[in-house]
Amino acid sequence: MRPKERRETGEHDLFRSRLDQIINLEHALAKLARSVDWRFLEERFGAVYSDGPGQPPLPTRLMAGLAILKHTHNLSDEVLCERWVENPYYQYFCGEEFFQHESPFDRSSLTRWRQRMGEEKLEALLQESLSVAHKTGALSSKDLERVVVDTTVQPKAIAHPTDARLVHRAIEKLVGLAKREGVVLRQSYVRVAKRAAIMVGRYSHAHQFKRARRALKFLRTRLGRVIRDINRQIDGDEALKACFAPLIDLAIKVRHQDHRQRGPKVYSLHAPEVECIGKGKARAPYEFGCKVSIATPVTKPKGGQFALHAKALHGNPYDGHTLAPVVADMERLTGVEVARVHVDKGYRGHNYPNKFKVWISGQVRRVTKTIHREMKRRAAVEPVIGHIKAEHRMERNYLKGRQGDGINAVLAAAGYNFSLLLRWLRFLLCQILRRLSACSQLIPT
């Protein structure tokens, strides 16, 4: 069933407080609510709904507004639910007419809505943020023609992976699943496995690596016994085999993998899609998550360095091999053809079809004064990445699966853009008040 355009608000109730009468309509959030094209978002997001039986979904403006507020102000789902009830500006932004004393949604509503929309639909929020920036004068069309593209790592919410930790965790999860399904094991090894995992860490810290390897071998042996015991118990039961199959496959990979081996490995049992990406930095030689591409103007827009594009890239691809699809996707999103692309030396050997539009840092040939000034501004993408990661929930991704990686990257970029829009609208308001004050002083009394 399609979401209703407007929820029943009780317009004839004289005893309720109208939000437009108790808030400052010149507040930046109220002005942003009037600037966003909510009809465009309803058309994009409403396409995934189909008429049928069941409870009608929540309004699209409410859910889209909550997604914007969550990543603009770096809030968790639980904190967002609490602040929505307390903050009349949040309610006005989400399309409410009267002040609500109870929340019409819960935190699980946000999760289900994100999963239903997916990364492709949620790109409409990023597209709308750029449209609002263009309408309010914060971003011009010329700023979209010359861009900087760079990649970063979006870390996943997992513990630092070690062989002992992964093997111990595999034993715990297999034994826990066996208890829930009523599978009786000969021995669980939970107590001795915990002790062995602790000793591996202690021996490694003391540089007693021979003893650490012995304790790790003890753990792997116990994991193999648990796997074989479960296979014997569920032999012939197809339902139990289907239930245990994904976890057993992961446990077998964990048991046989080694930290020296090449190729894909399992770094987390609850997030097997996580990849190990080498950074080459002393403070963080490796990060565990997925690669994300970020694009921003190489110019100086009036409203700030907006994020023009954000996309999660799985499989730890080479940066140069991601340039062509990223630029094509950005042109589709903005509707403006890119004239120049500035990248760092990690993009050498790129696959962009028009190589004369790509300028790599340190390049000397064909560099004019204008292009040289633009190349000096290539590093402007670094603070943009820093703000998106530190202030808009890309520093640690809590969303599940590969779909969650893509959704979080897009929403983080959209939240960053809307935070710049709020700052821009506050700046415009200050300019107007300053001019009014100057005019009042010129009028003779």
Side-chain angles (χ1 to χ4, degrees), residues 281-327:
K281 299 178 181 178
R283 59 178 177 84
Y286 301 98
E287 287 187 290
F288 301 93
C290 74
K291 188 174 287 189
V292 174
S293 175
I294 301 291
T296 186
V298 76
T299 56
K300 297 180 181 179
K302 294 180 180 179
Q305 295 295 134
F306 288 88
L308 304 180
H309 182 263
K311 187 176 183 61
L313 307 169
H314 292 283
N316 192 11
Y318 172 62
D319 288 355
H321 296 165
T322 66
L323 187 59
V326 163
V327 174

Side-chain angles (χ1 to χ4, degrees), residues 198-232:
I198 293 173
M199 295 309 297
V200 171
R202 291 180 179 178
Y203 288 142
S204 299
H205 182 71
H207 287 204
Q208 299 178 3
F209 298 112
K210 187 174 181 180
R211 291 179 174 178
R213 287 194 295 269
R214 189 181 303 127
L216 180 59
K217 182 179 178 181
F218 176 88
L219 273 173
R220 286 174 171 160
T221 302
R222 268 60 189 176
L223 176 59
R225 292 182 183 180
V226 172
I227 293 173
R228 291 191 296 273
D229 194 3
I230 291 176
N231 286 330
R232 284 193 297 267

Side-chain angles (χ1 to χ4, degrees), residues 361-372:
S361 60
Q363 184 173 339
V364 178
R365 293 183 179 180
R366 302 183 294 110
V367 177
T368 62
K369 291 184 178 180
T370 302
I371 296 176
H372 181 66

Side-chain angles (χ1 to χ4, degrees), residues 3 5 28 34 44 52 55 68 72-73 77 80 158 177 194 229 264 277 324 331 379 390:
E5 293 292 332
R34 297 193 296 271
R44 290 290 299 273
Q55 183 179 0
I68 293 172
T72 301
H73 300 290
D77 291 346
L80 179 62
I158 66 170
L177 181 59
K194 180 179 180 180
D229 194 3
I277 302 173
E331 291 177 342

Side-chain angles (χ1 to χ4, degrees), residues 399-418:
L399 303 186
K400 184 179 179 181
R402 293 196 170 192
Q403 183 185 24
D405 294 335
I407 290 173
N408 193 71
V410 171
L411 289 179
Y416 168 75
N417 286 350
F418 280 108

Side-chain angles (χ1 to χ4, degrees), residues 74-113:
N74 193 11
L75 304 175
S76 64
D77 291 346
E78 295 83 357
V79 175
L80 179 62
C81 294
E82 296 173 0
R83 292 196 182 179
W84 191 89
V85 178
E86 301 170 354
N87 197 324
Y89 290 97
Y90 280 15
Q91 297 186 17
Y92 181 82
F93 184 78
C94 293
E96 298 293 337
E97 295 182 12
F98 298 92
F99 186 78
Q100 302 291 331
H101 296 276
E102 293 182 359
S103 174
F105 60 92
D106 55 15
R107 61 180 184 177
S108 60
S109 303
L110 297 169
T111 302
R112 290 192 295 269
W113 186 79

Side-chain angles (χ1 to χ4, degrees), residues 17-69:
S17 302
R18 290 188 62 88
L19 289 173
D20 55 5
Q21 297 177 358
I22 63 176
I23 67 173
N24 178 15
L25 294 179
E26 296 301 319
H27 189 274
L29 201 57
K31 294 177 70 175
L32 180 61
R34 297 193 296 271
S35 301
V36 175
D37 187 359
W38 298 106
R39 188 177 299 276
F40 164 73
L41 296 179
E42 288 174 355
E43 292 175 356
R44 290 290 299 273
F45 296 150
V48 302
Y49 294 95
S50 59
D51 295 331
Q55 183 179 0
L58 293 169
T60 299
R61 177 169 178 178
L62 172 64
M63 303 309 297
L66 290 172
I68 293 172
L69 292 172

